[in-house]
Amino acid sequence: MAREPCDACGEEVPIGGGISGFWSTNPQSTGGMTLAFDDGSEFFLCFDCLADLPDEPDESDVRDLVSE
């Protein structure tokens, strides 16, 4: 299974899907998601870091979280 680091905390997060997950007897789900904003910025955050954001975050909220 592929993994990607969270842009805020740096934790390696599993990325679901792909052929390796298809044949696995112990499939894992994705542990985060990418947030894309109108200014063109994108951030991959784990679900724990996503929970620290306000209900409708903008790019400045995510940049503040990433820079902590």
Side-chain angles (χ1 to χ4, degrees):
M1 170 167 280
R3 301 182 84 69
E4 185 172 337
C6 172
D7 289 332
C9 70
E11 180 180 339
E12 290 289 321
V13 179
I15 306 297
I19 194 70
S20 63
F22 181 77
W23 293 108
S24 174
T25 58
N26 186 18
Q28 287 183 317
S29 61
T30 298
M33 64 186 294
T34 300
L35 300 178
F37 296 99
D38 291 336
D39 70 351
S41 61
E42 290 187 354
F43 302 92
F44 179 77
L45 300 176
C46 67
F47 291 136
D48 289 338
C49 289
L50 284 168
D52 292 337
L53 292 172
D55 287 340
E56 294 186 31
D58 61 21
E59 57 272 5
S60 65
D61 295 321
V62 178
R63 286 186 199 283
D64 289 344
L65 183 66
V66 169
S67 65
E68 290 180 355

